[in-house]
Amino acid sequence: MAELAKNAAEISKVHPEDTASPLKEAWRAFCKNRLALAGLGIVIFFIIIAILAPVIAPYSFKEQELTKRLLAPSSEHWFGTDDFGRDIFSRIVYGARISLWVGFFAVLGSAVLGTILGVIAGYYGRWLDTVISRTFDIMLAFPSILLAIAVVAILGPSLQNALIAIAIINIPNFGRLVRSKVLSVKQEEYIMAARAVGMKDSRILMNHILPNSMTPIIVQSTLAIATAIIEAAALGFLGLGAQAPSPEWGKMLADSKQYLVQAPWTLFFPGLAIMLTVLGFNLMGDGLRDVLDPKMKQ
């Protein structure tokens, strides 16, 4: 026994890295992916901009000065001005708050509801699975933006209703993903053992099913934020999302489309902000998928 204890102590000293937590190992693997780190850097950059918007923006996002309308980018107005003389840089900085707010909370709502429905369908099965799965199929039969437009048309055009619509149309994506994971996990031997000893379904779901289903949820959430930002911009462009004078990027594109030739910067910079934000979340999401999904590991 003394010799075994000695050997164990020596192993722990010689190979301390072998005891690293899965979280640390995942972070090390993530850091090896340069594109994923670039995506993380872009996301952090826009989050900082959104938080410090009042400090960073040199002007108010709704301050109008018609004598300075459609000015080209300069040292006074870095990104130029729009058709009301408002500083485009300030509006883009404040617009980061709106886009990230819609992205995060829309995905949070769809992830929570989708996870609950997916767990119920996958774990309990039978008629519950049939009803929930067929509902998901019906929702997925419509183009997502068309379904979002229908929801906003019913609720009325506003940023809050656009958020609700985006959350609703993304529920099936999370629901089907979680359902398939639950169907796989509940066949594991430790789940059968938990049932055999009389463990309640609620404890099995909270202690075993959900923790082992979180990986695909995290990855899907990261990628879904990028999609939600695009959908919010699309609804804003169509006049169904944020309303004037809100500096939402899609709304800025819609207000400036008639000045494409006369003042192309009014469209270029909001479009660039949307592209970079979506790119950042997509790169980060791909990196998380490579790290967290065992099938993607080499």
Side-chain angles (χ1 to χ4, degrees):
M1 293 294 292
E3 185 178 354
L4 289 175
K6 183 179 179 181
N7 292 337
E10 290 178 354
I11 292 174
S12 63
K13 292 179 181 179
V14 176
H15 303 287
E17 68 278 3
D18 293 341
T19 61
S21 67
L23 183 60
K24 290 182 179 179
E25 292 180 358
W27 173 247
R28 289 173 185 169
F30 184 85
C31 289
K32 294 178 181 178
N33 189 330
R34 294 184 179 180
L35 288 177
L37 283 179
L40 177 62
I42 294 173
V43 170
I44 293 175
F45 172 74
F46 277 99
I47 290 176
I48 292 174
I49 285 180
I51 295 174
L52 301 179
V55 177
I56 297 175
Y59 303 93
S60 169
F61 69 86
K62 56 184 177 181
E63 180 181 345
Q64 300 182 15
E65 194 168 352
L66 296 180
T67 57
K68 296 183 177 181
R69 63 189 303 269
L70 300 178
L71 293 180
S74 63
S75 58
E76 184 179 1
H77 299 281
W78 295 350
F79 290 176
T81 61
D82 63 8
D83 55 323
F84 286 100
R86 296 173 296 196
D87 183 65
I88 295 177
F89 175 76
S90 299
R91 288 178 62 78
I92 288 177
V93 168
Y94 277 97
R97 286 185 166 186
I98 298 175
S99 293
L100 293 178
W101 179 76
V102 172
F104 281 121
F105 284 98
V107 170
L108 177 63
S110 58
V112 171
L113 294 176
T115 299
I116 293 173
L117 293 174
V119 167
I120 293 174
Y123 187 78
Y124 292 103
R126 298 184 180 179
W127 66 271
L128 284 173
D129 185 17
T130 301
V131 172
I132 294 174
S133 296
R134 297 297 78 77
T135 302
F136 289 162
D137 291 340
I138 293 172
M139 294 177 67
L140 291 172
F142 295 92
S144 59
I145 188 63
L146 181 61
L147 187 58
I149 291 173
V151 174
V152 175
I154 295 172
L155 299 177
S158 71
L159 183 63
Q160 290 76 14
N161 291 339
L163 187 152
I164 294 172
I166 295 169
I168 290 174
I169 65 176
N170 282 293
I171 288 176
N173 297 326
F174 284 95
R176 295 184 67 177
L177 182 68
V178 173
R179 175 184 174 274
S180 63
K181 186 65 176 179
V182 171
L183 287 174
S184 174
V185 172
K186 77 174 186 178
Q187 301 300 326
E188 298 291 339
E189 293 182 358
Y190 62 89
I191 300 295
M192 297 180 182
R195 288 174 175 170
V197 298
M199 185 179 290
K200 294 182 179 179
D201 288 343
S202 58
R203 289 191 60 190
I204 294 175
L205 290 172
M206 296 303 298
N207 296 339
H208 299 294
I209 299 292
L210 278 178
N212 286 285
S213 303
M214 287 304 297
T215 296
I217 296 174
I218 294 172
V219 175
Q220 178 63 26
S221 296
T222 307
L223 297 172
I225 291 175
T227 303
I229 291 174
I230 293 178
E231 291 166 345
L235 290 174
F237 185 84
L238 296 173
L240 299 174
Q243 302 298 305
S246 177
E248 197 273 325
W249 293 337
K251 179 63 176 173
M252 292 175 66
L253 289 175
D255 294 340
S256 304
K257 63 181 183 292
Q258 58 183 318
Y259 304 107
L260 176 60
V261 177
Q262 181 182 0
W265 56 86
T266 59
L267 284 89
F268 175 77
F269 290 111
L272 181 64
I274 295 172
M275 185 202 73
L276 288 176
T277 307
V278 172
L279 177 64
F281 279 105
N282 280 334
L283 291 177
M284 187 173 70
D286 288 341
L288 287 174
R289 182 186 59 195
D290 294 345
V291 170
L292 299 177
D293 190 349
K295 296 179 180 179
M296 298 298 296
K297 293 181 180 180
Q298 298 297 328

